[in-house]
Amino acid sequence: MEREYYPAAHEAIADQVPQTPRKKKKNKMKTKRRFSDEQIRLLESIFESETKLEPRKKLQLARDLGLQPRQIAIWFQNRRARGKSKQIEQDYRTLKANYDSLASRFESLMKEKQSLILQVQKLSELLEEPHDINKVSKPGPDGNRTDGGSEYGDTKCEREAEAQPSFQQAGVEDMGFFGLQIEKDKDIEHAGQPLEEFPSMNDSLASPEKLYGFDSADMFDHSCSNSVWFNFWT
DNA sequence: TGGCCGCACCGCCTTACGTCA
DNA sequence: GTTGACGTAAGGCGGTGCGGC
């Protein structure tokens, strides 16, 4: 469909675009005409080099395009607003991509962490065995206990509470032995916090828990204040 | 020198028209 | 021909900077 273009300023439409309309309110615009492609092209080319116009240049441009200076000023204002809006959208996309990438890496690291914790628990059991072998209930054929519990207690807390001294007994104070740094005592209480504070971009973006369907509360059981956790973030 | 006023300009939000599917 | 979504020119408002008094 053909556009209706804004005529030159000296034509009738110019009368509807007062030079200083700021004080004239409630005077509804009668007609609105889009600028011609040529006008837009020139405006865009100038906007590329300077997003704000000097007054003299604005007057010159208004003459060249047959528009009112105020129309030029408004076009630049609206153009800056459009540019800003697009920039915000671009920034949002970039941030979201970074967030998604980070969340993905977070998830994979959590899996790796869980795997390493299991390895440590198994090693802990191995270190424990020679000292206390008589207390250990008889394992089933597959190596698991037949009563459904473990030699370290039936709860996660008990297992962890007992697992920690075993390292000390074995002279393994520093978990750097496993390439890890163990969290102890008060530091342990903070070990789970970064997980809960994993940044969500905003309410519209799901947190990792929602995004990936896992619950941080399950991973960091705060019912055990002395739980052994590794500092995920170091 | 500090305060006031008018003006121009800006950013931001809103309105209303033009265009298109 | 109608309608709803979208783009955009322009209105309106509050804020700021500047020059004159």
Side-chain angles (χ1 to χ4, degrees), chain A residues 48-107:
Chain A
E48 273 184 28
S49 58
E50 45 190 328
T51 59
K52 290 189 178 179
L53 273 185
E54 299 170 14
R56 204 198 313 180
K57 201 156 189 174
K58 182 177 68 181
L59 291 173
Q60 178 63 45
L61 191 55
R63 274 195 296 272
D64 292 347
L65 294 176
L67 297 171
Q68 294 293 327
R70 171 148 177 85
Q71 287 179 288
I72 303 297
I74 287 174
W75 187 90
F76 269 77
Q77 278 186 32
N78 286 326
R79 183 64 183 80
R80 283 193 294 272
R82 286 194 291 271
K84 184 177 181 180
S85 177
K86 284 185 178 178
Q87 183 61 46
I88 288 172
E89 283 181 19
Q90 175 62 39
D91 289 348
Y92 173 80
R93 280 194 294 271
T94 301
L95 281 171
K96 187 176 185 310
N98 290 343
Y99 172 83
D100 290 344
S101 170
L102 188 60
S104 174
R105 177 158 166 71
F106 178 84
E107 186 190 28

Side-chain angles (χ1 to χ4, degrees), chain A residues 92 99 199-207 210:
Chain A
Y92 173 80
Y99 172 83
S200 58
M201 290 184 68
N202 55 41
D203 290 339
S204 66
L205 281 178
S207 67
K210 292 174 184 170

Side-chain angles (χ1 to χ4, degrees), chain A residues 15-54:
Chain A
D15 296 337
Q16 298 156 14
V17 187
Q19 178 74 26
T20 54
R22 287 179 62 81
K23 304 297 178 186
K24 289 187 177 179
K25 297 179 182 178
K26 315 298 181 190
N27 185 17
K28 297 254 177 136
M29 187 173 40
K30 288 179 183 174
T31 61
K32 186 173 86 174
R33 295 289 183 274
R34 293 191 173 221
F35 298 156
S36 71
D37 291 340
E38 188 56 38
Q39 286 171 326
I40 296 293
R41 223 183 339 264
L42 184 55
L43 287 165
E44 285 287 357
S45 71
I46 293 172
F47 184 82
E48 273 184 28
S49 58
E50 45 190 328
T51 59
K52 290 189 178 179
L53 273 185
E54 299 170 14

Side-chain angles (χ1 to χ4, degrees), chain A residues 124 128 151-153 157-167:
Chain A
S124 173
E128 187 88 2
E151 62 271 41
Y152 300 111
C157 294
E158 288 167 339
R159 289 197 301 274
E160 289 165 0
E162 292 190 9
Q164 188 174 359
S166 69
F167 289 113

